[in-house]
Amino acid sequence: VDELEAIKAETLAKSGLENAYVRAFAWRGSEMMGVSAQSNSIHLAVAVWAWGDYFADKMKGIRMTHAMYRRPDPLTAPCHAKAAGLYMICTLSKHAAENEGYADALMLDYRGQVAEATGANIFFMRDGAIHTPTPDCFLNGITRQTAIKLAKARQIEVVERAIMPDELSTFDECFITGSAAEITPVAEIGEHTFKPGNMS
C-alpha cells in the first residue's frame, strides 16, 4: 500500500495538475480464458487527469430519479470492494437517469432500503441531525467517512441506520458524497424535493 501511495503521489506530481482525479487500476492478464484466472498475471496502473465539477451547476442541487436496479446482497458480491463488476448496475442506472434528464439515480438495496446514488453515498437532514444509510451492502466511501468525522467534530448528530424510501418526504435537505461528486446538494429525488441549505 505504501508503495502504491508513493507511485500515486509521483504520478500526480509529474502531471503538473493541482485539481485532479487519481485512480489506481488493477486487472488480470489474458493468459487464461474462462472463469478461472488464477494463473493470469496481475497488472497495475495509475491514472491522473484534470477534474472539474462532476455535476453541472451542482450548488443549485442536482435532480435524481429512482434506479431500476438494486445494490446486491453482500453474500452475492464483494460489496465493499471498488470492483469494476459492481459498477455495471450503477452505470446502467446512471445512463437511464441521464436519458430522462436527471443527473443521477437513487439506488435501493436488496431489502428495499435506501442505499446510495450510482457513484456516491447519500445523506439526509432532519431536525438538525444527519441521517445516512448503514454501509452494509455498499462501499463505505472515503469522502463519506470524512463528512461524518467533520460533522461530529462540529457537534452535529450523525445517525447511521436503515432508511426506507417512504421516509424521503420527511427530510429537509439531502446531499451526496464521493471522490468524484465531492459534496453535492440534492434538490430532487423523483417526487421528493429538498432545499439546499447550510449543511448541504
Side-chain angles (χ1 to χ4, degrees):
V1 173
D2 291 340
E3 183 179 3
L4 180 57
E5 289 299 314
I7 292 169
K8 287 161 62 177
E10 180 183 357
T11 305
L12 178 61
K14 287 183 177 179
S15 75
L17 297 170
E18 293 184 3
N19 189 11
Y21 194 96
V22 181
R23 174 70 68 90
F25 299 89
W27 69 97
R28 288 188 181 272
S30 58
E31 293 86 357
M32 293 176 64
M33 293 299 290
V35 176
S36 178
Q38 295 188 46
S39 297
N40 289 18
S41 56
I42 296 176
H43 301 270
L44 179 68
V46 173
V48 178
W49 58 93
W51 196 259
D53 285 337
Y54 189 61
F55 297 104
D57 298 325
K58 74 174 193 175
M59 295 317 294
K60 295 178 181 178
I62 64 169
R63 296 176 63 240
M64 295 175 61
T65 186
H66 299 278
M68 178 175 66
Y69 295 104
R70 294 186 175 193
R71 300 301 295 163
D73 185 319
L75 297 178
T76 64
C79 63
H80 297 293
K82 206 170 179 84
L86 295 173
Y87 276 99
M88 180 181 68
I89 57 174
C90 300
T91 299
L92 292 171
S93 298
K94 185 163 176 71
H95 287 179
E98 290 174 339
N99 289 339
E100 294 177 9
Y102 294 93
D104 210 331
L106 174 68
M107 302 188 78
L108 303 181
D109 67 16
Y110 65 100
R111 298 162 295 201
Q113 298 172 4
V114 171
E116 60 179 352
T118 61
N121 296 122
I122 194 160
F123 294 80
F124 301 94
M125 288 288 301
R126 184 174 64 207
D127 299 327
I130 296 175
H131 299 256
T132 186
T134 304
D136 56 1
C137 65
F138 56 86
L139 193 67
N140 183 14
I142 294 171
T143 312
R144 176 187 187 276
Q145 295 174 48
T146 301
I148 290 172
K149 287 179 183 176
L150 290 172
K152 288 181 176 179
R154 289 163 175 74
Q155 309 303 312
I156 298 169
E157 182 183 7
V158 178
V159 183
E160 295 184 77
R161 63 177 180 88
I163 298 174
M164 300 305 296
D166 61 7
E167 291 185 67
L168 294 183
S169 62
T170 70
F171 296 115
D172 304 314
E173 295 181 47
C174 176
F175 61 94
I176 58 174
T177 65
S179 298
E182 298 172 329
I183 296 180
T184 298
V186 175
E188 176 184 329
I189 301 176
E191 66 277 24
H192 305 289
T193 57
F194 308 94
K195 184 176 181 181
N198 293 332
M199 286 302 303
S200 56

